[in-house]
Amino acid sequence: MVVGVTEGFTIPVKLVGVGYRAALEGSTVTLKLGHSHPIVVAVPEGVEVNVPAPQRLILRGIDLQVVSQFAANIRKHRPPEPYNQKGVFVGDETIKKKEGKKR
């Protein structure tokens, strides 16, 4: 069987940080990622977005390349940073915590 056609591909996206939120409004996703303004991202054709919680997105679609590219476009607005471990995490992505400067 062809996985994309029968089941589709699913990519979870987590928003980790104080005040980081996502909301689905029609065919756009509004992200609040700590900037002075909300970020509005248009959902591409063939991708279905669910927001089960304000800090979680679930992206589904039959074309893995389109779904992965949309997840990467969301991630580029606030990539994970290793010092405070905040940002947009795609899939089961984890980062190793770095130590700050020592006095």
Side-chain angles (χ1 to χ4, degrees):
M1 288 286 185
V2 180
V3 174
V5 177
T6 56
E7 302 162 13
F9 295 101
T10 302
I11 297 179
V13 178
K14 290 190 306 186
L15 308 175
V16 179
V18 177
Y20 289 12
R21 300 190 172 286
L24 184 62
E25 298 172 359
S27 63
T28 61
V29 176
T30 303
L31 303 169
K32 294 181 183 172
L33 298 175
H35 295 292
S36 61
H37 58 283
I39 298 165
V40 179
V41 182
V43 178
E45 195 125 344
V47 177
E48 176 187 321
V49 180
N50 287 338
V51 184
Q55 295 182 336
R56 287 189 45 204
L57 292 165
I58 297 177
L59 310 177
R60 293 177 195 262
I62 59 171
D63 189 355
L64 181 61
Q65 197 275 330
V66 174
V67 176
S68 299
Q69 184 63 47
F70 183 55
N73 287 344
I74 292 174
R75 183 183 186 270
K76 77 177 181 182
H77 293 290
R78 188 66 84 170
E81 58 108 352
Y83 293 102
N84 296 327
Q85 292 189 315
K86 297 191 320 187
V88 178
F89 292 83
V90 175
D92 58 351
E93 177 181 23
T94 59
I95 54 172
K96 209 171 168 186
K97 182 149 173 80
K98 280 190 176 180
E99 232 178 282
K101 280 186 170 182
K102 300 253 181 174
R103 284 190 184 220

